[in-house]
Amino acid sequence: MQKFDLITLGEIMLRLSPPGYERMSRGEIFDKRAGGSELNVAAGAALLGLRTGVISKLPQNDLGTFIKNRIRFEGVSDDYLIYDDTEDARLGIYYYEYGAAPRKPSIIYDRKNSSFTKIDLSEIPEEIYSSTRMFHTSGITLALCEKSREVALSLIRRFKEAGALISFDVNYRANLWTEEEARETIEKILPYIDVLFVSEETSRRMMQREGELEDIMKGYVSDYNVKLVCTTRRTVKSPKKHDFTSIIYSADTDKFYTEKPYTDIDVIDRIGSGDAYVSGVLYGYLKYDDPFAALQYGNATSSVKNTIPGDLPASDRKEIDGIISNHNAVGAVSELNR
């Protein structure tokens, strides 16, 4: 019997932010939080009810312990965490400054030579490949360094060979690698991918695909046999007001799925909302095998994550079901959860 519904691979980082809307260049204290794209996905899916685990490498010190404890608090298994006890072990850090119109949010990364960039395939136990229904990683992991890329590519192939579904979020970051390098690498793994998350901008610019969005999405299915293609649609009115929905194409039904946007979202913290979308989609897909359920859970989890400080989600199945119900309600909706 498979132990997990979902296992993810990725770097877990320490996030430091000046409180409120203070500037990094002026503030004197930082709020400390854990975060990382693939951990965010595993945490969101666990909150909804899936059994999830994360593969990562952490320094064997107090910061690594902080991250491990955070992972456990989120309900994500730490069975496959690897610990680095070398003298140069370190946890990647990023600094995040909140924005307020017209000032945009800003990020400074300090992640070079983190323990995760030294992860080796030999450190990952063989039994993991047959222990999950689905494996997920992202373009960030592929882009970090040659070592993490080799491990990610090997895991994608090995999980696929063992019968797991493969989920991949392109999550292109121009500060990590070039468009040409990203496109060449991602095109090699697309034949292994079952569930693909890719923005319209990334499809057009980095992947160099042309035509209507629907044709682009269907192209991933016809060219690479992807089963589900997911593209988010966010309208940024200001740093603190967004509208959000998405569109999903299912190869099995040959249909597109969408719904009315969540409008005027109060954006407390946008970081992690894309990962929350992934977690909701994967929950709906694994739980119900229903593209529209995947869409609804993805849109709701992403929208509500914007209202939560930090990278990690904090909404369980009951809250998300209520948000979906309110989103589809006709007439007045109570302003208070009772």
Side-chain angles (χ1 to χ4, degrees), residues 36 46 55 143 163 185 193 200 206 213 224 227 252 265 334-335:
I55 306 166
T185 302
I193 306 305
E200 181 176 2
M206 188 272 284
L213 175 60
Y224 301 104
K227 291 183 173 65
D252 290 341
I265 298 166
S334 174
E335 293 298 314

Side-chain angles (χ1 to χ4, degrees), residues 239-259:
K240 299 182 72 174
K241 284 291 179 186
H242 296 182
D243 295 347
F244 182 86
T245 189
S246 67
I247 181 169
I248 290 179
Y249 176 69
S250 168
D252 290 341
T253 63
D254 190 25
K255 290 182 180 178
F256 288 93
Y257 300 84
T258 191
E259 66 174 346

Side-chain angles (χ1 to χ4, degrees), residues 243-246 258-265 292 295-297 299-301 303 319-333:
D243 295 347
F244 182 86
T245 189
S246 67
T258 191
E259 66 174 346
K260 65 181 181 180
Y262 286 79
T263 58
D264 294 324
I265 298 166
F292 188 63
L295 177 96
Q296 288 185 304
Y297 278 101
N299 288 345
T301 52
S303 297
E319 182 174 40
I320 295 301
D321 282 346
I323 288 169
I324 292 172
S325 178
N326 288 342
H327 185 61
N328 294 317
V330 177
V333 176

Side-chain angles (χ1 to χ4, degrees), residues 29-252:
I29 60 174
F30 288 103
D31 179 39
K32 178 181 74 172
R33 296 181 183 270
S37 179
E38 290 87 354
L39 172 60
N40 300 339
V41 171
L47 282 165
L48 292 172
L50 296 186
R51 298 162 297 163
T52 71
V54 61
I55 306 166
S56 195
K57 190 166 187 175
L58 303 174
Q60 184 78 65
N61 58 29
D62 286 347
L63 289 178
T65 300
F66 168 74
I67 298 296
K68 177 188 70 175
N69 291 342
R70 190 72 236 179
I71 290 169
R72 290 176 171 178
F73 180 84
E74 295 294 326
V76 177
S77 171
D78 66 338
D79 287 0
Y80 300 112
L81 289 182
I82 303 159
Y83 294 96
D84 181 5
D85 60 2
T86 62
E87 62 180 18
D88 60 347
R90 74 180 299 253
L91 187 67
I93 301 170
Y94 81 94
Y95 301 83
Y96 180 73
E97 178 181 295
Y98 295 95
R103 175 167 59 90
K104 294 182 179 180
S106 62
I107 294 179
I108 297 174
Y109 287 100
D110 178 17
R111 70 197 307 177
K112 189 175 182 180
N113 299 321
S114 69
S115 292
F116 181 77
T117 64
K118 297 182 287 184
I119 192 169
D120 192 88
L121 189 64
S122 64
E123 298 174 302
I124 300 169
E126 287 290 330
E127 76 269 7
I128 194 173
Y129 304 113
S130 58
S131 67
T132 186
R133 296 171 62 197
M134 176 178 281
F135 171 71
H136 171 83
T137 192
S138 78
I140 294 175
T141 299
L142 296 181
L144 282 178
C145 66
E146 191 63 35
K147 193 78 170 176
S148 65
R149 185 179 311 173
E150 290 174 359
V151 170
L153 294 176
S154 294
L155 290 186
I156 287 170
R157 296 186 183 102
R158 292 187 181 204
F159 275 108
K160 187 73 171 182
E161 289 170 0
L165 295 168
I166 306 297
S167 166
F168 182 71
D169 183 358
V170 175
N171 218 346
Y172 176 68
R173 295 290 184 269
N175 66 335
L176 293 176
W177 55 350
T178 66
E179 291 185 4
E180 293 74 17
E181 189 179 15
R183 182 169 58 255
E184 180 181 348
T185 302
I186 291 169
E187 285 178 344
K188 290 178 182 177
I189 66 167
L190 281 172
Y192 297 91
I193 306 305
D194 297 291
V195 183
L196 177 67
F197 299 88
V198 58
S199 70
E200 181 176 2
E201 180 183 15
T202 295
S203 286
R204 294 188 184 279
R205 292 185 56 180
M206 188 272 284
M207 296 300 292
Q208 294 188 345
R209 296 199 159 236
E210 300 177 345
E212 297 297 322
L213 175 60
E214 288 78 5
D215 294 328
I216 291 173
M217 295 176 73
K218 292 183 76 170
Y220 291 114
V221 173
S222 59
D223 294 347
Y224 301 104
N225 204 30
V226 176
K227 291 183 173 65
L228 209 68
V229 183
C230 313
T231 297
T232 58
R233 288 178 160 175
R234 181 189 297 268
T235 301
V236 179
K237 298 177 176 178
S238 78
K240 299 182 72 174
K241 284 291 179 186
H242 296 182
D243 295 347
F244 182 86
T245 189
S246 67
I247 181 169
I248 290 179
Y249 176 69
S250 168
D252 290 341

